[in-house]
Amino acid sequence: MRWHILFPLFLLFLAACNSDSTAVIGQADIGQPTAFIPDPPATRPIGGIAPTFTPIRPVTPLPSRTPFATIEPLSKETAVPFDQILITLHYTLPALALDRSLTGNTAGQIIIRDETTGITGESIHREGIIKEMVDVLSQTTLNSPDEECPDCLFLSYELPLTGESGEGWLRDPRLAASLENYFAVAIGPHFPPETIVGLRRSASTYAPAHTLALTANGRLWRWVATEERVREDVGNSLIPAELQSALNRLPLAKLQESYAVDCTLSPNEMLYLQAGDTTRSIPILCPEFALPDMLIPLYAQLDELAAQTLGEAATPPPAIFPLTAVLDYKRADGAQMTVLMDGSIIVSEAISSTTAITSTISTAGWRTLQLDLLKTGELALGLQTFMIDPAEQPDTPQSHLLVRGEEGVYDALWETLPDAAPFTALDELLDNSLP
């Protein structure tokens, strides 16, 4: 099935990006089950090209991005008060050790549980959601695969009031994506046991939700929420080794709790990392404009794997600040230069020019320029220059600079470039790279 056929369905799941959820010890509040009642995101601007940084006006603060809370598992013997059961649902994918369940009752209470970890989420006053789930499941057809299929997605359910039940292979892409989203929003994304590197992205206008995971034994898994089967990558043995190497070089202790700026139509992401006894779960939003340089070698590999998994039809347009860019300089005279981490330099004589001229710089060269620019103190985190109201900007042409550093992306805007050696070197690099 081609991805463009499913794009209208993916829009139904965008609301999960802004679901509010809170947690207490042993439980997570499921909140609005947006997989079944989708609403458009309230805090993101709609339109534009993703991933393009499009900030809200300065008078409106950016929404806070809270990482998933640490939730203690409940014992399977923990008593849960129920009224009459209306629905029980079991959602499994054996190859990934995915095993999650849901129960809804006449009191409007929904309990979901990860049967592997014991993490449990609870939501109340969800009578309408339960009814919609019952209606959807009563119209769902489930069949058994032709042979044993550990990489197939399975669903079983019971509707006690009507006596209906079903069990089998879930091949409906819309229901599969809804369930994956519902559980991920409620109790977090699922990664296989012994995962050392994992990335889960929610749905966007360009692609359904999808997950990548590398386990300690070198197995690489790719799972698209709309697909009926999970894929294990066995074609290139170098990929797990390269990911492991990037993880080994990453200073986990220096990573922040989250990396997020508010981007037009950018999906929410969760990056999971484990090295030795250290485990990090890091929410990400708008990675091109949020991630620090230290994370790019690992994240760029995951991004490429995701693109290969989804195919060209689900690939968004290029970002205006590439993921692997270390700096982007738009000079007041219209010339522009982007320096990538591999040393490539892409320049144009005018911002509107469609012709790019490529030259190169050594890693040591761009690293020195990057650090020297940041040491001047003229740039700041937060992409503040994007917050300036166009009506308040002076008519005088300005120079704009983005630099990716250890904590994220720094920026600055000047009518006259500061009189400091690093900015002179920046201008010289641009001039020398122009034809």
Side-chain angles (χ1 to χ4, degrees):
M1 180 180 296
R2 293 185 61 83
W3 289 115
H4 69 271
I5 300 175
L6 297 175
F7 280 173
L9 304 179
F10 304 152
L11 293 173
L12 300 176
F13 312 127
L14 285 176
C17 297
N18 291 287
S19 278
D20 292 328
S21 61
T22 59
V24 296
I25 297 300
Q27 293 185 328
D29 182 3
I30 295 176
Q32 176 68 23
T34 50
F36 291 90
I37 298 186
D39 294 308
T43 60
R44 306 261 184 91
I46 301 300
I49 298 177
T52 299
F53 182 75
T54 308
I56 337 172
R57 292 289 300 276
V59 294
T60 305
L62 288 174
S64 62
R65 299 290 173 182
T66 305
F68 283 110
T70 300
I71 305 171
E72 298 294 334
L74 289 179
S75 166
K76 289 190 176 182
E77 288 72 34
T78 300
V80 180
F82 288 119
D83 288 344
Q84 186 175 6
I85 301 298
L86 294 178
I87 176 175
T88 60
L89 178 152
H90 206 188
Y91 171 78
T92 62
L93 207 167
L96 296 183
L98 170 62
D99 188 357
R100 294 182 163 186
S101 62
L102 177 150
T103 303
N105 62 32
T106 53
Q109 180 190 43
I110 294 177
I111 298 288
I112 69 172
R113 179 183 180 86
D114 188 303
E115 301 295 341
T116 301
T117 65
I119 293 174
T120 299
E122 177 183 13
S123 184
I124 59 176
H125 307 307
R126 303 300 177 192
E127 293 86 351
I129 302 303
I130 293 173
K131 181 181 184 303
E132 187 162 355
M133 290 182 183
V134 169
D135 292 342
V136 169
L137 291 173
S138 65
Q139 301 174 41
T140 298
T141 300
L142 300 171
N143 299 308
S144 298
D146 295 333
E147 55 187 19
E148 185 177 352
C149 185
D151 58 351
C152 290
L153 183 62
F154 290 95
L155 176 66
S156 63
Y157 68 90
E158 292 184 2
L159 308 176
L161 287 189
T162 64
E164 296 174 82
S165 64
E167 181 177 5
W169 190 4
L170 178 56
R171 308 185 72 179
D172 181 330
R174 178 171 180 172
L175 180 56
S178 291
L179 290 171
E180 189 275 344
N181 176 78
Y182 194 91
F183 284 109
V185 169
I187 56 176
H190 173 79
F191 298 110
E194 300 186 359
T195 293
I196 57 174
V197 178
L199 178 69
R200 190 262 179 184
R201 285 177 177 160
S202 64
S204 71
T205 53
Y206 295 97
H210 50 281
T211 303
L212 305 170
L214 173 66
T215 58
N217 59 5
R219 302 181 75 176
L220 179 63
W221 298 95
R222 311 189 201 189
W223 181 29
V224 180
T226 52
E227 293 185 349
E228 60 202 38
R229 304 181 75 154
V230 67
R231 292 178 249 177
E232 181 180 5
D233 192 329
V234 294
N236 189 344
S237 60
L238 294 178
I239 294 176
E242 291 169 353
L243 285 172
Q244 177 72 72
S245 177
L247 175 64
N248 292 342
R249 296 193 302 269
L250 191 60
L252 296 190
K254 290 186 177 181
L255 298 179
Q256 298 177 18
E257 293 298 317
S258 65
Y259 293 99
V261 294
D262 206 35
C263 258
T264 300
L265 300 178
S266 181
N268 275 2
E269 305 182 18
M270 178 62 75
L271 177 65
Y272 177 87
L273 304 171
Q274 182 173 358
D277 296 331
T278 303
T279 299
R280 300 292 307 273
S281 294
I282 303 173
I284 294 173
L285 181 64
C286 198
E288 291 83 0
F289 286 95
L291 291 185
D293 53 4
M294 70 177 84
L295 254 179
I296 296 302
L298 173 68
Y299 184 88
Q301 292 185 60
L302 296 173
D303 185 65
E304 177 62 26
L305 287 171
Q308 294 172 8
T309 302
L310 296 169
E312 292 183 3
T315 302
I320 60 173
F321 185 52
L323 179 65
T324 59
V326 67
L327 67 84
D328 184 80
Y329 177 40
K330 298 180 179 68
R331 198 162 61 185
D333 64 3
Q336 180 177 359
M337 172 178 66
T338 302
V339 180
L340 306 182
M341 287 187 173
D342 65 359
S344 300
I345 300 177
I346 302 172
V347 299
S348 60
E349 295 181 274
I351 293 177
S352 59
S353 173
T354 57
T355 302
I357 302 93
T358 302
S359 57
T360 60
I361 184 174
S362 67
T363 300
W366 70 251
R367 176 66 76 180
T368 297
L369 179 58
Q370 171 208 36
L371 296 177
D372 287 348
L373 288 168
L374 294 177
K375 287 177 182 177
T376 65
E378 296 284 350
L379 296 96
L381 285 169
L383 304 180
Q384 295 302 310
T385 61
F386 288 88
M387 299 293 220
I388 300 174
D389 190 332
E392 298 177 358
Q393 290 190 4
D395 296 331
T396 307
Q398 296 177 310
S399 296
H400 187 205
L401 179 62
L402 292 168
V403 179
R404 193 182 305 279
E406 187 175 280
E407 296 183 357
V409 177
Y410 298 73
D411 71 328
L413 192 68
W414 304 277
E415 290 184 31
T416 302
L417 212 61
D419 185 16
F423 296 100
T424 301
L426 181 68
D427 264 335
E428 290 177 352
L429 181 61
L430 174 53
D431 289 335
N432 292 337
S433 299
L434 289 169

